[in-house]
Amino acid sequence: MGKLGISVYVEKTTEKEIFDYIDKAAECGFSRIFSCLLSVNETKEIIKEKFKRINDYAHSKNFEVIVDVSPRVFDDLGISYKDLTFFDEIGADGLRLDAGYSGLEESLMTFNPQNLKIEINMSNNTNYIDTIMDYMPNKENLIACHNFYPHKYSGLNLEHFKACTNRFKKYGLRTAAFITSTKEGTFGPWPVTDGLPTLEMHRELPIEIQAKHLIALGNIDDIIISNCYPSDKELEALSNMKKNMVTFDIILNEKTPEVERKILFEEMHFNRGDFSDNLIRSTQSRVKYKGHNFALFNAPEIIRRGDIVIESSEYGHYAGEVQIAVQDMRNSGKSNVVGRIREEELFLIDYIKPWQKFSFREIK
């Protein structure tokens, strides 16, 4: 995965709160800021002064800053796509075009002498990006980012999200999407405060599960918290999770022996290439621990979707193999259920493809 990001809304909060947030996010390993000019109604000089101070501070903490704009903002501020000096003057590293031009303008913008990144809105499944690519842009300066959706039920459908993302990903572009804090009292750039996800299915989910879902999809590089201010607990949850694979939070059976625990939490897991509808199978442990006696200690009659199984020695050469149940099935009487995936994360099972890596983390 690429970067973890936060969003700041200069007109909605105090400078001190923004600086404190940047400090906290930097400590948690965040390195990207989404900033918004669409909802700012100040004069050009005041905008320049405020944004410059904040962006300079963000740079001192090693953040990259992308500012959200549109052709309307360009008109309001008297900026031309041919001259992006203004964004350099406010200390931005790039600009996101919430609404774009014809494709030629975007292509020309990627050759700006300030070397600013030009970020394209990637939430519409049209030929827009193909047109930009036809005009031969400087791909080094072209990146892409989805929208967020303040109104409940208005977020993107998953299939649409995947189709849009794949359009951009096929060109090797860096991609980004938004996840939302579910803390009470958070805000974004607009008056509506129903959360700010890209995907509608994320709106009520814990923030780290939203991020895990984007990681599981495997086509989003940067993950950005859209609303202010998330809780410290939410920031820490994102900071502590693996960013390069899905980590399932599991409730461990208290009788699980030491070797089985070691297998779960210390070994590399990946799904076998010969895919099954019933099980995700991680088989390296049965090779490494061949000869170890895996005693039968918890073999319920039914193995449920989301149960974690480590096969007992009664299963012969399968002994020590780790499995995640994809659906309910009858236990042969030889399979130990050693733990269970957290209920809110069960849907992530369906995203583990052949050869995909994953890990486990114990929760109480």
Side-chain angles (χ1 to χ4, degrees), residues 200-251:
E200 185 57 40
M201 65 184 288
H202 285 175
R203 198 174 296 273
E204 312 290 341
L205 285 175
I207 201 165
E208 72 278 11
I209 297 179
Q210 298 172 49
K212 285 181 189 186
H213 185 209
L214 293 180
I215 291 166
L217 285 166
N219 52 13
I220 295 295
D221 298 305
D222 297 354
I223 297 176
I224 307 166
I225 303 174
S226 50
N227 47 359
C228 295
Y229 288 103
S231 66
D232 289 358
K233 192 176 171 190
E234 287 178 318
L235 286 176
E236 283 156 18
L238 292 173
S239 171
N240 293 333
M241 64 188 275
K242 286 185 178 174
K243 317 298 189 296
N244 58 358
M245 68 175 75
V246 175
T247 301
F248 290 106
D249 283 348
I250 67 169
I251 297 116

Side-chain angles (χ1 to χ4, degrees), residues 22-67:
I22 289 170
D23 287 345
K24 204 178 294 175
E27 283 168 25
C28 290
F30 287 68
S31 59
R32 170 171 178 166
I33 287 176
F34 167 85
S35 187
C36 187
L37 270 173
L38 297 179
S39 50
V40 178
N41 292 313
E42 306 274 15
T43 66
K44 191 171 180 178
E45 289 316 307
I46 290 173
I47 288 172
K48 206 180 278 188
E49 187 188 313
K50 279 186 177 176
F51 275 72
K52 175 85 170 124
R53 266 201 312 276
I54 290 164
N55 294 345
D56 283 352
Y57 187 75
H59 285 148
S60 77
K61 299 287 180 174
N62 298 316
F63 279 83
E64 173 189 42
V65 181
I66 309 288
V67 182

